[in-house]
Amino acid sequence: RNRQPRERRERRKRGPGFFTRLLLKIAIFLIIVLIVLLVLRGFTKQTIEKRSMVVEQQLIYSQELVSLKYRYSDIISIKKSVPLAKSYSIVKYTGTIRAGIKDMTLCDFEVSETGRSVKVILPEAEVLGNDITTQEVFDESHSMFVPITIEEVFTEIDAARQDVLEEFLNQGILEEARKNAILVIKQLLVAAGFDSVEVF
């Protein structure tokens, strides 16, 4: 009679000890898993930060991106006359139109968690300059009664270069500049070590 109660008591003593050890092992396992996840998360965050710095160095530090440049030439003729007197001036000039991204700091980008791919959103392309590089007088004849001033020549050249710019804009120069900018950015970031680069 006495053995049965003792066995029951021993089982009761062993029971809670076994479950306690089991719960302790589970708790330790979960803690280890949590620590590993936190370490991996920290590593992923550091990876993203490092790769983001690479993107910033390639994009933002360049500030202005000229992705397209056109050189053109034109001839203007200025004529003035009064009875018995006339003046004219024929001038050839060359200009350069530059187009691209004016401010690269306005780019938005997102690096993946693996740090191997990146998406970049570029601002719209703009005309960055339309400068006169050279000018040359081909022929001229001046009368003191109807003089042609330097200011008049510059005014005519300025009007002509604006007309040239409008013509290039109608031909899609900004769209071409944007396409070139996308190609340039892709090449830069692929060279920087990214496996996948998307530019919009």
Side-chain angles (χ1 to χ4, degrees):
R1 291 180 181 177
N2 293 334
R3 287 182 180 177
Q4 290 181 353
R6 285 179 184 174
E7 289 177 359
R8 288 176 184 172
R9 287 173 194 162
E10 288 176 2
R11 287 175 186 171
R12 286 174 186 171
K13 288 179 182 179
R14 291 174 187 170
F18 171 76
F19 285 112
T20 302
R21 289 193 300 272
L22 180 63
L23 290 173
L24 183 61
K25 289 180 180 178
I26 293 173
I28 292 172
F29 175 76
L30 291 176
I31 291 171
I32 292 172
V33 170
L34 181 61
I35 291 172
V36 170
L37 289 175
L38 289 174
V39 170
L40 289 176
R41 185 178 178 184
F43 178 76
T44 301
K45 188 177 180 181
Q46 287 180 356
T47 300
I48 294 173
E49 288 176 355
K50 288 180 181 178
R51 301 301 283 169
S52 296
M53 288 178 64
V54 171
V55 177
E56 287 182 1
Q57 289 175 351
Q58 296 295 325
L59 300 183
I60 296 176
Y61 290 169
S62 62
Q63 295 183 355
E64 183 180 274
L65 175 63
V66 178
S67 58
L68 185 144
K69 187 183 287 187
Y70 271 124
R71 193 164 181 260
Y72 63 92
S73 60
D74 196 7
I75 295 176
I76 62 166
S77 177
I78 304 171
K79 296 178 180 179
K80 296 174 72 175
S81 64
V82 295
L84 303 177
K86 66 178 181 178
S87 296
Y88 67 87
S89 185
I90 301 174
V91 180
K92 179 182 179 180
Y93 72 94
T94 59
T96 303
I97 295 175
R98 295 177 293 109
I101 308 301
K102 186 175 183 179
D103 188 357
M104 292 295 289
T105 62
L106 300 178
C107 292
D108 288 328
F109 64 88
E110 181 181 356
V111 178
S112 66
E113 292 185 358
T114 61
R116 305 308 303 170
S117 62
V118 61
K119 293 181 181 179
V120 180
I121 301 176
L122 296 178
E124 292 299 320
E126 301 178 46
V127 175
L128 304 177
N130 181 17
D131 306 314
I132 302 301
T133 52
T134 64
Q135 62 183 44
E136 177 185 358
V137 177
F138 264 6
D139 191 13
E140 63 181 349
S141 176
H142 293 283
S143 170
M144 60 181 295
F145 299 106
V146 280
I148 296 175
T149 66
I150 295 176
E151 287 76 12
E152 288 176 318
V153 173
F154 284 152
T155 299
E156 286 295 322
I157 290 177
D158 187 60
R161 74 186 181 95
Q162 292 300 327
D163 290 341
V164 172
L165 176 60
E166 285 297 324
E167 185 178 344
F168 275 110
L169 289 173
N170 292 333
Q171 292 175 1
I173 186 175
L174 294 182
E175 290 79 2
E176 188 176 351
R178 183 172 176 79
K179 289 179 182 178
N180 290 347
I182 289 173
L183 291 176
V184 169
I185 297 305
K186 281 186 176 180
Q187 290 174 354
L188 281 174
L189 295 178
V190 168
F194 286 95
D195 295 332
S196 174
V197 179
E198 293 181 273
V199 184
F200 304 96

